[in-house]
Amino acid sequence: MTSSSQYPSWEQPSHPKLIKVHRIAGAHLSYSTSLVSLPAGSLFSPIKNHFFVKDRDWTSVETADGTHIDLNSDLFFVNHSCAPSLEYDVNRMEVRVSRDRDLHRGDLLTFFYPSTEWDMAQPFECHCNDQLCLGTIKGASGLGKARLKKYWLNTHIRERLENQAEEETKETAE
């Protein structure tokens, strides 16, 4: 059973002091806002109650090459942005406030999907409206090391980018 067939499977709200979920009927329209103000880089929430899923899908989060989890909490409603307010650190299993800005009560809760996803199960057009918006989000694999250097990335994504760059260098040399 994939995680999308279980949506939503957790007791709600799962983070009543941190997250306000705004449910909107229709595919992929719901979102979340912060109920707290925190300084840049601080812990927002541990990632708890997650479970591993067999297959990746649009609701799963990649934690390593070929390994995905269902968040099984209201963290599910944290959407993508090219200028994220949060960082999902799947090595430490925690969500932190982005290192480059404070989080304020009422702010949209977002994270940079390619920071966890090498290839997205369901690519989509980003509507974050940031002046440096990347447009179509397919995962980190198609963005390249140079375009991703300004973003915080999980270890498995950084390692795959290094491997990709090494392979490209080998192919150029041949």
Side-chain angles (χ1 to χ4, degrees), residues 13-110:
S14 64
H15 295 75
K17 295 181 181 180
L18 293 175
I19 300 172
K20 166 121 175 93
V21 174
H22 303 265
R23 294 180 187 274
I24 299 175
H28 315 293
L29 298 176
S30 296
Y31 64 97
S32 60
T33 54
S34 180
L35 294 174
V36 297
S37 295
L38 294 168
S42 62
L43 178 67
F44 181 76
S45 174
I47 298 174
K48 298 195 270 186
N49 303 321
H50 65 281
F51 57 87
F52 289 91
V53 293
K54 182 180 176 190
D55 300 310
R56 72 181 171 141
D57 67 14
W58 69 273
T59 66
S60 65
V61 174
E62 186 176 327
T63 59
D65 188 12
T67 305
H68 292 78
I69 61 170
D70 183 307
L71 293 167
N72 197 38
S73 74
D74 289 344
L75 292 171
F76 166 84
F77 293 102
V78 176
N79 292 326
H80 167 82
S81 176
C82 296
S85 60
L86 299 174
E87 299 168 350
Y88 277 40
D89 186 334
V90 297
N91 296 315
R92 294 173 140 176
M93 284 299 175
E94 66 183 27
V95 179
R96 290 185 304 270
V97 176
S98 289
R99 296 159 196 241
D100 61 350
R101 69 184 214 195
D102 293 340
L103 180 70
H104 302 283
R105 183 179 173 86
D107 283 355
L108 280 175
L109 295 176
T110 59

Side-chain angles (χ1 to χ4, degrees), residues 147-163:
R147 287 183 80 190
L148 290 170
K149 71 180 181 180
K150 76 173 196 156
Y151 294 100
W152 181 88
L153 303 171
N154 277 279
T155 303
H156 69 283
I157 299 297
R158 286 194 314 268
E159 289 171 351
R160 290 185 84 174
L161 284 169
E162 287 297 326
N163 292 340

Side-chain angles (χ1 to χ4, degrees), residues 2-21:
T2 63
S3 53
S4 62
S5 64
Q6 298 173 15
Y7 163 78
S9 61
W10 60 91
E11 185 176 325
Q12 298 173 351
S14 64
H15 295 75
K17 295 181 181 180
L18 293 175
I19 300 172
K20 166 121 175 93
V21 174

